[in-house]
Amino acid sequence: MAATLLWSRTISGSPFAPWFSQLLKEIGFYTYYCSKPYMTAVARLRRMQAFYVLFIGAGSAGAVIANRLTENPHFKVLLMEAGGDETEISDVPALAGYLQLSKMDWQYKTEPQDSACLAMAGRRCNWPRGKVMGGSSVLNYMLYVRGNKRDYDAWDQSGCHGWDSETVLHYFKKSEDNRNPYIARNSRYHGTGGYLTVQEAPWRTPLATAFVEAGVEMGYENRDYNAEFQTGFMIPQGTIRRGSRCSTSKAFIRPIRLRKNLHVAMHAFVTKILIDPTTKRAYGVKFIRDGRAQVVLARKEVIVSAGAVNSPQLLMLSGIGPADHLRHHNIPVLQDLPVGYNLQDHIGTGGLVFLIDQQVSLVQTRYENLPSVLKYAMFGSGPLTVLGGVEGIGFVKTKFTNATDDWPDIEFHFISGSAASDGGRQIRKVHGLSERTWQYMFKPISFRDSWSVYPMLLRPKSRGYIHLRSNSPFDKPFITHNYLTDPHDVKVMIEGIKIALALTETHSFKRFGSRFYTKPMPGCEHVPFFTDEYWECLARHYTSTIYHPVGTCKMGPYWDPEAVVDPELKVYGISGLRVADASIMPTLVSGNTNAPVVMIGECVSDMIKNYWIGDKK
């Protein structure tokens, strides 16, 4: 009776009419029979009609899209984030490691495997993902790297039209506010005046300069890797502003917080996308906030920007995914798609530590003091402005790529310290090192001056997958990384390690008394040192994620059997639903992923606005 009245008075003639019965089941309106609950239901339903677009996730893409869509006053947007706001600590670049394993982190772990992560506790790698306004742009090391132009041209050639290098360059420049005048003057490749501030850290150790000089000694250029050519060495560009982190929340949401058509719901944990099983149209979401289950409706679209772990999990919980897997968890299948597969991630090899004789590295006791804090607070400078300890980036080519092509297959992350530079307080926890590894290999060099380099595999061939643990949204999914399961990945990584070792033989590092720390990795003692077999063993033990999982909701043309979304990021077979985050990447880009995800947000914003152009309903 009450449901019938509710239909006639509130819903009849509205765009939600076809989904009303399904909605009543979802939010329990059939139980409302007395006047007060009935009126509450009516009020709730009227409020639920208000939003034009719903966003799930206020991360690196979600924040951008919310900003761009609300430029149109007719787009009434609700941005939903499971976490809260950033903190003062998250603003400090050098403290990036302390944000992991905190309440701003989903604190995921991979499943134990024999191929990698063998030096980690339980053979499980930590997988930090941002649970905060700004998403993983609040937890990351702020490196602004776009990738190689060939990455995007390959996307376009595979059928993802509109994602070629020239098109995406426009969107990279659109968001960028590059504050290095020597770089910004190259207007062909860089932008100024955008929301996202990009610049180098205002302070660096002498080791940072030595790293770039060492690269030049080895025959590489000192060049801007975000311009025409990528191969070379450089002081990294980062998403920082006046010495502090510039997350996507700070860049794209705070400046527009007073827009009347933007609504932000923090601590809103989305549990399901509401989809009409007959029309297969997404029309809202269920979420939990303040301990109460609630529903909100979307007049036009639901956009999932929850990241490469949460986006596939939410799609599968909502009935979109591999049919057999969903049935196994008693989830009704609405659309059979390969959600959760095609998982790719950048990994680096840790444990390449080089000791030095001069007190010039980032030893924690040296910068954890009042002068450093005052330099940061008053001048936006000092050691606390270093990008999570990363002071150099290098792109090199191994023998497995064409020497005449600008197509490097290894990226170096240069750290002015080691896993022991803080005496075991935080870095060992962030990396998840086992007690045996810490005690045997790293504790003996606690607080010693040192530097490290992480060779990162740019285009891994190994593929993993993400599966549901259960049909409960509160159970973290299974993450099967499959690192180094493809033999080619192992070969490229070994060559990358060898090039990294050559750095310490340059004059630039020899003047600091640099030498390789030759303590063998526990578990590799039986392997002869300085052999390919030892480097493979090291890579399989100290396997470090570089925090770049992608591909689990793959973008592709309709003829691609692995595709989940089309080139406009619409989910195949479901109308009114898009995915826009790192999960849509068909293949990993040749570089860090935060800047490309911001670009994805910029690009899909225009797609959405063009799709609904002239629609004001």
Side-chain angles (χ1 to χ4, degrees), residues 446-459:
S446 291
F447 302 113
R448 289 277 300 275
D449 279 280
S450 61
W451 60 272
S452 305
V453 63
Y454 285 75
M456 185 181 91
L457 198 62
L458 281 175
R459 291 180 296 279

Side-chain angles (χ1 to χ4, degrees), residues 559-570:
W559 62 81
D560 184 350
E562 297 181 346
V564 174
V565 301
D566 68 15
E568 291 188 341
L569 309 192
K570 298 175 185 176

Side-chain angles (χ1 to χ4, degrees), residues 423-456:
R425 298 180 188 179
Q426 184 67 11
I427 300 174
R428 60 175 290 203
K429 299 175 186 176
V430 167
H431 289 190
L433 294 175
S434 67
E435 187 66 21
R436 179 191 177 205
T437 303
W438 166 255
Q439 291 290 341
Y440 179 79
M441 187 169 184
F442 291 104
K443 189 175 181 180
I445 57 171
S446 291
F447 302 113
R448 289 277 300 275
D449 279 280
S450 61
W451 60 272
S452 305
V453 63
Y454 285 75
M456 185 181 91

Side-chain angles (χ1 to χ4, degrees), residues 529-603:
F529 215 66
F530 288 101
T531 63
D532 286 3
E533 290 73 21
Y534 179 81
W535 304 131
E536 177 180 350
C537 185
L538 178 65
R540 293 192 184 279
H541 277 74
Y542 201 148
T543 318
S544 179
T545 175
I546 311 296
Y547 320 120
H548 301 159
V550 307
T552 47
C553 299
K554 181 185 177 183
M555 171 176 63
Y558 68 88
W559 62 81
D560 184 350
E562 297 181 346
V564 174
V565 301
D566 68 15
E568 291 188 341
L569 309 192
K570 298 175 185 176
V571 176
Y572 280 111
I574 304 292
S575 60
L577 180 62
R578 298 187 204 232
V579 180
D581 54 34
S583 69
I584 65 95
M585 292 188 187
T587 52
L588 256 173
V589 295
S590 303
N592 305 61
T593 53
N594 185 247
V597 173
V598 172
M599 176 276 293
I600 289 170
E602 292 279 18
C603 189

Side-chain angles (χ1 to χ4, degrees), residues 63-345:
V64 176
I65 308 170
N67 177 304
R68 296 306 187 184
L69 290 194
T70 53
E71 291 173 344
N72 183 338
H74 299 294
F75 278 68
K76 193 171 183 181
V77 165
L78 175 62
L79 180 62
M80 311 175 77
E81 170 55 48
D85 207 353
E86 301 170 80
T87 67
E88 291 80 3
I89 295 299
S90 66
D91 277 351
V92 184
L95 300 184
Y98 283 84
L99 307 177
Q100 297 176 28
L101 306 178
S102 72
K103 66 179 182 179
M104 292 185 284
D105 180 8
W106 284 97
Q107 301 181 31
Y108 292 119
K109 286 183 179 290
T110 62
E111 293 305 300
Q113 291 185 255
D114 294 331
S115 63
C117 303
L118 304 182
M120 312 307 172
R123 293 180 297 134
R124 305 179 73 188
C125 275
N126 289 338
W127 260 37
R129 296 283 87 200
K131 187 182 180 181
V132 60
M133 291 292 296
S136 295
S137 74
V138 176
L139 303 188
N140 70 2
Y141 284 47
M142 296 149 281
L143 301 174
Y144 184 82
V145 183
R146 296 174 177 176
N148 193 290
K149 65 179 70 174
R150 287 179 58 171
D151 299 322
Y152 306 106
D153 288 336
W155 292 5
D156 182 71
Q157 291 160 12
S158 72
C160 297
H161 302 307
W163 295 91
D164 59 279
S165 58
E166 279 300 313
T167 300
V168 302
L169 176 59
H170 164 73
Y171 291 108
F172 278 119
K173 292 167 61 178
K174 181 178 180 180
S175 62
E176 183 183 15
D177 181 23
N178 199 301
R179 297 193 177 179
N180 182 328
Y182 297 99
I183 290 176
R185 67 185 179 184
N186 187 352
S187 58
R188 168 76 176 87
Y189 294 99
H190 290 283
T192 58
Y195 283 100
L196 187 66
T197 305
V198 178
Q199 59 186 113
E200 291 82 7
W203 184 95
R204 64 181 67 103
T205 69
L207 293 172
T209 304
F211 172 74
V212 176
E213 291 174 345
V216 173
E217 280 189 59
M218 293 171 63
Y220 292 94
E221 296 280 347
N222 173 14
R223 62 160 44 118
D224 174 11
Y225 49 72
N226 287 322
E228 183 177 5
F229 300 106
Q230 186 180 38
T231 307
F233 283 58
M234 186 181 180
I235 301 295
Q237 301 170 45
T239 50
I240 59 173
R241 179 184 297 164
R242 294 187 294 277
S244 296
R245 178 190 294 271
C246 184
S247 70
T248 55
S249 178
K250 183 185 291 186
F252 290 92
I253 297 300
R254 292 188 189 181
I256 64 161
R257 63 191 182 280
L258 299 181
R259 284 183 186 170
K260 296 184 183 299
N261 58 334
L262 173 65
H263 302 262
V264 179
M266 293 188 286
H267 305 292
F269 179 59
V270 177
T271 58
K272 186 178 183 181
I273 303 165
L274 301 179
I275 301 169
D276 187 293
T278 303
T279 63
K280 290 193 175 182
R281 179 172 181 82
Y283 63 89
V285 300
K286 290 179 69 174
F287 67 101
I288 295 175
R289 193 182 189 203
D290 298 328
R292 293 190 303 115
Q294 303 178 54
V295 169
V296 66
L297 303 183
R299 294 176 59 191
K300 298 300 179 185
E301 294 195 22
V302 176
I303 300 174
V304 182
S305 298
V309 177
N310 294 65
S311 286
Q313 181 189 24
L314 183 58
L315 289 184
M316 288 188 281
L317 289 170
S318 305
I320 304 169
D324 291 343
H325 181 57
L326 299 187
R327 293 190 190 102
H328 175 74
H329 291 293
N330 298 315
I331 298 173
V333 180
L334 296 178
Q335 189 68 22
D336 184 8
L337 290 173
V339 175
Y341 290 97
N342 192 46
L343 175 62
Q344 303 157 60
D345 187 23

